[in-house]
Amino acid sequence: MSSYYADIAPQVYEITWAAGHVETVIAHQVSHGSQHIRVSALSSGEFATEAAGQRIKFHAEVDGRWTLQLSAMESDIRTIRNITNGEQPPGGTR
């Protein structure tokens, strides 16, 4: 059985944690989810949402198995940069 991600090259991400520590994660996919979303009706008739428990997950195929590489609360991460192809200039153009 072949993996859906078999032909997709993994990406290299540089994570800077809120505490200042920097580390690298290799992953095929990064997902962002919420454990809880609160919806409120505003007096203007509009709705507002507030999400709590935002979690960022990095997944990769390792030895033919789909593996969770890292799962962290968004509030614990300062920045995530894709550095697969080296430093990217502002605006994403090379």
Side-chain angles (χ1 to χ4, degrees), residues 46-78:
E46 296 177 352
F47 289 90
T49 61
E50 177 183 316
Q54 297 282 346
R55 187 165 287 282
I56 298 174
K57 297 177 183 177
F58 295 79
H59 293 90
E61 182 182 351
V62 178
D63 296 329
R65 298 188 67 184
W66 189 237
T67 305
L68 178 64
Q69 299 295 85
L70 175 71
S71 177
M73 297 302 292
E74 180 181 33
S75 59
D76 292 335
I77 297 175
R78 183 181 306 157

Side-chain angles (χ1 to χ4, degrees), residues 13-88:
Y13 297 94
E14 179 186 86
I15 299 170
T16 303
W17 295 93
H21 174 73
V22 177
E23 71 178 281
T24 303
V25 174
I26 299 172
H28 285 93
Q29 181 186 51
V30 179
S31 63
H32 184 262
S34 175
Q35 296 174 339
H36 172 75
I37 297 178
R38 184 178 340 164
V39 178
S40 303
L42 304 176
S43 60
S44 63
E46 296 177 352
F47 289 90
T49 61
E50 177 183 316
Q54 297 282 346
R55 187 165 287 282
I56 298 174
K57 297 177 183 177
F58 295 79
H59 293 90
E61 182 182 351
V62 178
D63 296 329
R65 298 188 67 184
W66 189 237
T67 305
L68 178 64
Q69 299 295 85
L70 175 71
S71 177
M73 297 302 292
E74 180 181 33
S75 59
D76 292 335
I77 297 175
R78 183 181 306 157
T79 60
I80 299 172
R81 295 186 320 138
N82 184 329
I83 59 170
T84 304
N85 297 316
E87 185 70 27
Q88 300 295 313

